[in-house]
Amino acid sequence: MTDTSTPSPPRDTAEPAAAKGRFGDRMFLGLSKGAALAILAILAGVAIFLTAEGLPGITASPDEVKSGKTFLAFVLPLVFGTLWSATLALVIAVPLAVAVALFVTYYVPRRFGQTLGYVIDLLAAVPSVVFGLWGMRVLAGKLVGPYEWLEAHLGFLPFFGGPASATGRTILTAAIVLAVMILPIITAIAREVFRQTPVLLEEAALALGATRWEMIRTVVLPHGRSGMIGGAMLGLGRALGETMAVAMVLSASGVITFNLISSTNPSTIPANIALQFNEASGLTVNALIASGLVLFLITFAVNVGARAVVNRRKEFSGANA
């Protein structure tokens, strides 16, 4: 009886390929684990350094530091200024970024939308010093007139109580510069989230008689809510850590105030460190490092919150639809 079964390939030709594939998988897995552990090690090293170097500044007496204050009194106005300027930047940037993302995605031809998106993304490549120069030499001077108008017509509000700054270098000017800087981050994330909206849901809404805006309002925006929040949180993290642009634009006095147009403005932690570090000595250096530790914790919390928001509804992404 003739054997018609297909002969199996020789062992010496099949096994080496499988072994090579397994070796590549193991190598990739090892490199991935090594990169992840390296990031954790660097993060832990930064935290340990800031804690070890900043602790003497936290426990130092007011007579031993340049500010002449306890660490809590020294850092609270800086924390307020950092959070206040970043929040103002978000208030300005998020609606504009979402509007630009919707316009690029749904209201212009695809080729023109891609070109416009690339141009907006290029803003992320502009150095902070350039934004600082623009804010200090161009934007601040042009905002003096509007600030005087706000004081004259809306001075009864604590935000515009004045007196208006004669130079325009206020916390609001710094927030506008920060808003322009974080705009590409939020816009890019919003565009990608909107593009992941299931086409079936969009076409179903349009088939039921919805206008384009009604389709966006009832389908696209709810679907991309978590992504927009995550993008805003990442933009917030970027605004919290900005140094040179704020240091160049803001005329800071180290106070706590909600006045947006006055020449008396709170400073931020990064800008204060950049301006004071070269002239600091002794425990004043440790106090500045301790304020950096506070900024590290704030930024870390913001990024963890952004990741939690993005992951909470990842099952609703367009890739899983």
Side-chain angles (χ1 to χ4, degrees), residues 4-320:
T4 59
S5 60
T6 303
S8 60
R11 284 182 173 271
D12 57 349
T13 60
E15 289 186 357
K20 184 178 180 180
R22 289 195 296 269
F23 174 75
D25 291 341
R26 289 197 301 269
M27 178 179 290
F28 179 77
L29 180 61
L31 291 175
S32 301
K33 286 184 177 179
L37 293 176
I39 292 174
L40 292 177
I42 293 172
L43 192 64
V46 171
I48 293 172
F49 167 78
L50 292 176
T51 303
E53 294 293 327
L55 190 60
I58 296 175
T59 58
S61 65
D63 298 333
E64 297 175 310
V65 294
K66 183 178 179 180
S67 63
K69 303 176 183 178
T70 63
F71 178 74
L72 186 61
F74 164 73
V75 79
L76 274 182
L78 299 176
V79 172
F80 171 81
T82 303
L83 296 177
W84 183 228
S85 60
T87 302
L88 291 172
L90 274 189
V91 171
I92 298 171
V94 170
L96 181 60
V98 172
V100 170
L102 290 174
F103 177 76
V104 169
T105 307
Y106 291 101
Y107 285 94
V108 296
R110 185 175 183 84
R111 180 173 298 180
F112 177 75
Q114 289 178 344
T115 304
L116 183 59
Y118 294 150
V119 173
I120 296 171
D121 292 341
L122 285 177
L123 288 174
V126 179
S128 300
V129 175
V130 175
F131 281 111
L133 288 172
W134 169 71
M136 179 178 62
R137 301 298 297 271
V138 179
L139 182 63
K142 294 185 179 298
L143 290 178
V144 173
Y147 288 164
E148 293 175 349
W149 185 91
L150 289 172
E151 179 189 5
H153 295 83
L154 298 175
F156 58 90
L157 297 175
F159 303 112
F160 311 114
S165 173
T167 62
R169 298 175 60 182
T170 69
I171 191 71
L172 182 56
T173 304
I176 294 174
V177 173
L178 287 177
V180 176
M181 296 179 69
I182 67 176
L183 184 66
I185 300 174
I186 306 175
T187 303
I189 295 177
R191 285 204 320 266
E192 294 303 319
V193 170
F194 294 156
R195 286 172 180 167
Q196 291 178 6
T197 304
V199 179
L200 182 62
L201 297 180
E202 297 178 359
E203 293 178 348
L206 294 174
L208 291 174
T211 63
R212 183 178 299 181
W213 166 243
E214 290 173 340
M215 180 271 293
I216 291 173
R217 182 170 55 84
T218 58
V219 176
V220 178
L221 293 180
H223 181 271
R225 183 180 296 114
S226 61
M228 289 188 293
I229 295 174
M233 297 286 279
L234 293 177
L236 176 61
R238 173 72 174 86
L240 289 172
E242 178 52 42
T243 303
M244 289 308 302
V246 177
M248 296 172 69
V249 172
L250 187 60
S251 177
S253 304
V255 297
I256 297 178
T257 177
F258 288 97
N259 197 323
L260 301 178
I261 62 174
S262 172
S263 58
T264 303
N265 300 284
S267 184
T268 66
I269 294 177
N272 183 71
I273 293 175
L275 294 174
Q276 301 294 331
F277 201 86
N278 284 338
E279 301 177 357
S281 61
L283 289 176
T284 303
V285 175
N286 299 99
L288 291 175
I289 295 176
S291 65
L293 174 62
V294 174
L295 178 64
F296 175 82
L297 295 175
I298 294 173
T299 308
F300 184 77
V302 167
N303 284 278
V304 170
R307 177 57 57 188
V309 170
V310 171
N311 288 339
R312 187 173 60 183
R313 290 188 58 194
K314 65 181 179 180
E315 64 271 14
F316 297 107
S317 68
N320 299 326

